[in-house]
Amino acid sequence: MVRFDRVGRRFGSVAAVDDLSLDIAANEFVALLGPSGCGKTTLLRMLAGFETPDTGRVLLDGKDISAVPPYRRPVNMMFQSYALFPHLTVAGNIAFGLKREGLPRGEIETRVAEMLALARLTGLGERKPDQLSGGQRQRVALARSLAKRPRVLLLDEPMAALDRKLREETQFELMELRRRLGLTFVIVTHDQEEAMVMADRIALMDKGRIVQTGAPAEIYERPRTRWAAQFIGDINIIEGRVAADGSGVATDALGLLRAPVPAGLKPGDAVVLAVRPEKIALATSGDNNVAGTVSEVGYRGDKSLYKVAVAGGLSMKAAVANAVRAGGPAMGLNDRVTLSWPADAGLVLPP
Amino acid sequence: MTRRFSSFNMVSLTLGLAFLYLPIAILIIYSFNASRLVTVWGGWSLRWYAALLEDSAMLAAAWTTLRIALMSATAATVLGTMAALALTGRRRFHGRTLFAGMVYAPLVMPEVITGLSLLLLFVALDVDRGFWTVTIAHTTLTMCFVTVVVQSRLATFDRSLTEAAQDLGATPGRTFFLVTLPLIFPAIAAGWMLAFTLSIDDLVIASFTTGPGATTLPIRIYSEVRLGVKPEINAICTLMIATVAVGLTVVSLIGKRNAARRQRAAGAPL
């Protein structure tokens, strides 16, 4: 439904978006995820109409909308700062877009009431934005952007200003809303947890390009580059070469570590082995066993994070779920442990 | 920790305020003097205010001044706001820094020079000097003050508000009238008041650019005082002070209320 066709946008000498293509299907929830300055907001603003691509085209339903001004696009955006009009009431804010459409008065009133109910703001319609809490303002911004029933709803860091608890609640609310309304959502976020919880598909961006797109689980479990693996979640990276027999990665410090080697790599190629901390157990039963000493313990309640010093001056992290009630982490500082993980837990990536 | 108000501060404050307001206080008090002699106190009276109502030349000058102030302040507000919008717009244009600097020039330019150059311009254009030339001159003088006031408000204006309006289907023109204008209106009003008061009390530029039949109040007062101070002058000056004081109080109250509102909006609990 939305297609970015080789779009590019430069600010001075910096390419904010660089020859990027992306398709977004109808009713899809896509998250643009990346570090700050990766171009994700510029991409979103191109879809809203606030930025014009220097090269390439933005298509909506097959029509080129690159030159269409924002006020003629069937796309609405929820701003990071919410951008509520301070001189209008909550109802006035929600009605703003409907009035511009020239809808009859009765229709506007019905829709505003509908939106207030949807955003759980009933009874607050006559308040001014500065009389609302942060969470309420966020819901007004959402209601306002939904009031015109846009084809695509754009969310620019919608939860950046909310505290953790409220953020989680709002995430689930948004997901439910989306199921009910059947809209296409594009969200920009630097919060990977937010992207993984809500999105059907994540477009991971860096330096104006898309590094990888895929379902959250795919991005997490099958990152295609070292950068992607390190950006999402926590991961151990061990440098080495493809083993002579192709059964894993040969490392200087830790010997042969078994892992599935993708086709196309020859023995001796420089690679890195990437293993997520939660895939590593403190036991000696896996395909790969590495001995070490606990150098740091982080107790997080639901799990404990161990930093383990292993041979060759390397350090590896293991996350262990605290499944049984106990007085604290199972291992202490300077305990000798063996880290083990199955061969298929490891990812062999280009260095 | 609050520091005590030291006696040194107290003395300097008293001296400073006395220096500023003593002459004005004397003028106001003597405007209620019953005696014809300006320097002799003859008891309280309103007779000079009554005499003022008889002085048709003075009243005509006051009316001229008021009309010039209203017109030039309005014109200066429109032009000054437009300049401020152009100078703070998102789209930069060539020479913007130069123009921004040039807007400030009339603020520091000696009024004699502004007055003289306008006079030369009007003479060169062969324009009959009078009401309109003073109005134009005051517009040029006060426009930059409006620009500075409006510009400082626009500097803190959240651009995402205008973007949100456009996103919701408002054309750039409607966005201006529905969102930008209502939000910067207090600054525009303050700019207008400033231009209005500046125009009312200007003597220098008005004397350069005026002509027959367009005597403003300050010119009239100045020419009368040269022949000796009459008690009516004290009365008219007291009225002018009252007008300006009311204007400035309104401006500062508007400014304070808006600052408080903005602070509340920014600092509201999340």
Side-chain angles (χ1 to χ4, degrees):
Chain A
M1 180 162 126
V2 175
R3 163 171 287 181
F4 292 100
D5 183 19
R6 306 198 61 177
V7 291
R9 178 83 173 95
R10 303 183 75 82
F11 295 114
S13 61
V14 185
V17 173
D18 188 10
D19 193 22
L20 181 153
S21 296
L22 177 68
D23 279 301
I24 297 167
N27 297 339
E28 199 179 16
F29 196 137
V30 172
L32 305 176
L33 178 65
S36 49
C38 71
K40 56 192 192 298
T41 300
T42 308
L43 195 65
L44 193 77
R45 290 171 60 84
M46 276 183 192
L47 189 47
F50 300 124
E51 299 286 352
T52 317
D54 298 331
T55 55
R57 298 178 303 162
V58 181
L59 297 126
L60 181 67
D61 293 327
K63 272 181 293 203
D64 186 355
I65 57 163
S66 308
V68 177
Y71 46 90
R72 294 218 186 86
R73 295 192 185 193
V75 165
N76 284 127
M77 176 151 156
M78 185 182 150
F79 290 77
Q80 183 173 5
S81 64
Y82 307 152
L84 299 179
F85 305 126
H87 58 302
L88 299 179
T89 60
V90 168
N93 266 280
I94 296 173
F96 189 91
L98 302 172
K99 283 186 183 158
R100 303 289 83 73
E101 268 183 356
L103 291 180
R105 219 184 160 152
E107 165 98 35
I108 291 178
E109 274 169 27
T110 328
R111 276 237 227 152
V112 168
E114 199 180 294
M115 283 300 138
L116 285 171
L118 188 78
R120 295 190 290 111
L121 291 162
T122 309
L124 300 177
E126 291 315 305
R127 294 249 190 119
K128 288 280 182 73
D130 61 6
Q131 296 168 315
L132 299 177
S133 73
Q136 287 169 336
R137 273 190 246 172
Q138 198 247 13
R139 296 208 297 273
V140 177
L142 183 66
R144 187 179 70 177
S145 56
L146 282 171
K148 290 188 80 173
R149 297 182 184 152
R151 303 286 318 276
V152 185
L153 182 67
L154 311 177
L155 306 146
D156 185 6
E157 302 268 5
M159 289 161 221
L162 301 182
D163 61 50
R164 199 188 160 87
K165 238 222 157 108
L166 202 53
R167 197 178 307 175
E168 221 165 73
E169 258 173 54
T170 314
Q171 284 170 2
F172 285 115
E173 271 178 31
L174 260 180
M175 285 155 71
E176 201 216 311
L177 205 66
R178 180 254 173 149
R179 269 194 298 276
R180 252 199 295 166
L181 300 176
L183 275 174
T184 307
F185 275 63
V186 183
I187 183 172
V188 155
T189 179
H190 67 275
D191 180 348
Q192 39 176 295
E193 220 173 276
E194 192 170 293
M196 292 217 265
V197 169
M198 294 197 294
D200 300 326
R201 198 151 62 99
I202 293 175
L204 192 58
M205 288 183 68
D206 184 38
K207 297 193 183 94
R209 290 168 174 274
I210 287 184
V211 176
Q212 189 173 353
T213 61
E218 192 186 331
I219 296 264
Y220 186 78
E221 301 290 3
R222 309 231 156 271
R224 276 206 295 265
T225 64
R226 181 176 175 168
W227 184 87
Q230 284 179 309
F231 183 77
I232 302 271
D234 209 352
I235 203 155
N236 292 296
I237 299 277
I238 304 155
E239 288 173 3
R241 291 176 181 285
V242 176
D245 62 354
S247 65
V249 177
T251 64
D252 293 341
L254 306 174
L256 173 71
L257 298 172
R258 290 183 191 284
V261 176
L265 287 172
K266 298 186 302 294
D269 284 351
V271 288
V272 294
L273 176 68
V275 191
R276 299 267 182 213
E278 76 277 5
K279 309 250 190 297
I280 297 179
L282 300 181
T284 51
S285 57
D287 302 331
N288 298 297
N289 301 305
V290 172
T293 324
V294 176
S295 66
E296 263 176 61
V297 183
Y299 178 68
R300 292 208 186 164
D302 57 339
K303 64 184 174 188
S304 296
L305 217 59
Y306 297 100
K307 219 168 175 181
V308 178
V310 297
L314 295 175
S315 177
M316 290 183 70
K317 276 188 251 177
V320 179
N322 295 326
V324 184
R325 274 186 76 188
M331 293 289 168
L333 220 53
N334 297 324
D335 282 359
R336 300 276 312 163
V337 292
T338 303
L339 304 172
S340 70
W341 66 92
D344 61 7
L347 276 166
V348 178
L349 300 172
Chain B
M1 186 178 105
T2 54
R3 259 204 293 185
R4 289 286 302 275
F5 207 62
S6 74
S7 52
F8 175 76
N9 282 345
M10 197 67 209
V11 169
S12 42
L13 184 68
T14 314
L15 284 177
L17 288 178
F19 186 70
L20 281 173
Y21 288 103
L22 210 54
I24 296 175
I26 288 171
L27 181 137
I28 292 173
I29 291 167
Y30 271 92
S31 75
F32 296 104
N33 190 359
S35 164
R36 167 156 286 281
L37 297 164
V38 178
T39 47
V40 178
W41 182 252
W44 297 95
S45 160
L46 284 173
R47 62 184 282 206
W48 305 118
Y49 288 89
L52 205 58
L53 290 174
E54 310 282 303
D55 189 341
S56 60
M58 196 65 94
L59 289 180
W63 177 231
T64 306
T65 304
L66 201 64
R67 278 189 306 155
I68 289 175
L70 285 171
M71 282 187 166
S72 69
T74 306
T77 302
V78 173
L79 293 173
T81 304
M82 282 162 65
L85 286 167
L87 290 172
T88 47
R90 223 164 74 84
R91 287 190 193 282
R92 305 193 133 263
F93 51 87
H94 276 290
R96 179 156 119 169
T97 320
L98 179 72
F99 281 120
M102 281 168 73
V103 162
Y104 287 91
L107 291 177
V108 292
M109 186 84 74
E111 285 186 29
V112 177
I113 294 178
T114 313
L116 187 62
S117 53
L118 281 163
L119 172 65
L120 291 175
L121 177 74
F122 292 139
V123 169
L125 292 176
D126 198 20
V127 183
D128 284 336
R129 272 166 290 133
F131 179 84
W132 289 108
T133 46
V134 179
T135 307
I136 291 169
H138 279 183
T139 306
T140 22
L141 171 75
T142 55
M143 191 195 109
C144 56
F145 288 89
V146 177
T147 304
V148 170
V149 172
V150 176
Q151 213 178 359
S152 70
R153 171 66 187 93
L154 284 172
T156 59
F157 191 84
D158 184 2
R159 300 257 162 234
S160 63
L161 289 176
T162 51
E163 285 185 349
Q166 293 205 21
D167 186 66
L168 292 166
T171 57
R174 302 215 107 198
T175 300
F176 177 75
F177 285 107
L178 292 168
V179 176
T180 312
L181 196 60
L183 290 175
I184 64 169
F185 186 76
I188 294 176
W192 187 91
M193 287 304 279
L194 193 60
F196 182 74
T197 48
L198 281 169
S199 167
I200 278 190
D201 76 8
D202 167 70
L203 169 67
V204 180
I205 291 176
S207 352
F208 274 105
T209 53
T210 192
T215 309
T216 66
L217 203 51
I219 295 175
R220 178 90 211 157
I221 292 169
Y222 184 67
S223 60
E224 295 230 344
V225 164
R226 278 195 303 188
L227 307 170
V229 181
K230 286 197 296 180
E232 288 106 317
I233 301 290
N234 287 343
I236 187 88
C237 288
T238 303
L239 291 178
M240 282 178 76
I241 290 167
T243 314
V244 172
V246 167
L248 290 179
T249 310
V250 168
V251 169
S252 76
L253 284 181
I254 291 174
K256 214 175 230 174
R257 203 186 59 183
N258 284 292
R261 183 182 296 168
R262 269 208 297 281
Q263 203 160 30
R264 205 159 28 138
L270 287 176

